[in-house]
Amino acid sequence: MSAPMPFWRAAGMTYITYSNICANLVRNCLKEPHKAEALNREKVHFAISTWKDGKAEKPVVLLKFELPK
């Protein structure tokens, strides 16, 4: 007897993919102004800070992008 498998795994998805799909559905169902605020929060920014003498120097932004819809 085998344990039940989550449907997202049975569909060939990772949990992160499933979670992103659910989050996009919820964001798209919101009414304004909450929808605009939620869409702004999905923007991702990456930065690197170099360390010198135990202190972080000014961060350098490497990449800015929006998550796929």
Side-chain angles (χ1 to χ4, degrees):
M1 189 166 155
S2 64
M5 181 183 296
F7 69 90
W8 50 266
R9 184 164 302 206
M13 286 189 245
T14 65
Y15 182 76
I16 297 297
T17 303
Y18 166 72
S19 177
N20 284 335
I21 290 169
C22 291
N24 283 333
L25 287 171
V26 170
R27 280 191 290 268
N28 288 330
C29 290
L30 294 172
K31 292 182 180 179
E32 293 299 339
H34 305 293
K35 184 175 185 174
E37 292 171 8
L39 291 173
N40 271 342
R41 279 195 304 266
E42 76 176 356
K43 294 178 182 174
V44 179
H45 305 276
F46 293 95
I48 282 191
S49 294
T50 54
W51 289 74
K52 195 178 239 182
D53 299 324
K55 295 183 182 179
E57 294 182 341
K58 185 177 179 183
V60 177
V61 176
L62 295 179
L63 180 63
K64 291 183 181 181
F65 71 94
E66 293 184 26
L67 296 174
K69 305 241 185 277

